Amino acid sequence: MRVTEKGQVTIPKDIRDRLNVGPGSEVDFIADDKGARLVVVADGRSVSEDDVETWLKSVSGTFDTGGMTADEYIEWLRGPRDDLGPR
């Protein structure tokens, strides 16, 4: 592919389809020792408040902490904190 005078390139359709890149998508080029890589930053779709509410309702009550409180679960997950004195 060629770079235009404005520094633009066209991403081939098969690559756009594979990476789910479309109008409004954000991409970045990352330079490394082998050349440059195209990285998809965001797919350009906006999420509505209704989408979030629907998702929250779909996962509500699906996480079982085995009766632990949130603090107990976090301590179990991360381990005891070293930066706090004894409780």
Side-chain angles (χ1 to χ4, degrees), residues 44-72:
R45 294 180 296 162
S46 61
V47 177
S48 73
E49 190 173 319
D50 290 340
D51 292 337
V52 173
E53 287 294 326
T54 301
W55 176 79
L56 283 173
K57 286 178 185 173
S58 75
V59 298
S60 178
T62 61
F63 186 71
D64 182 11
T65 62
M68 290 184 272
T69 66
D71 288 337
E72 290 168 337

Side-chain angles (χ1 to χ4, degrees), residues 6-35:
K6 291 183 177 182
Q8 298 170 330
V9 294
T10 300
I11 303 168
K13 182 168 180 3
D14 60 326
I15 302 293
R16 292 192 316 263
D17 291 346
R18 183 174 177 182
L19 298 177
N20 198 27
V21 172
S25 296
E26 292 185 35
V27 298
D28 199 0
F29 288 95
I30 308 295
D32 60 23
D33 57 343
K34 295 180 182 179

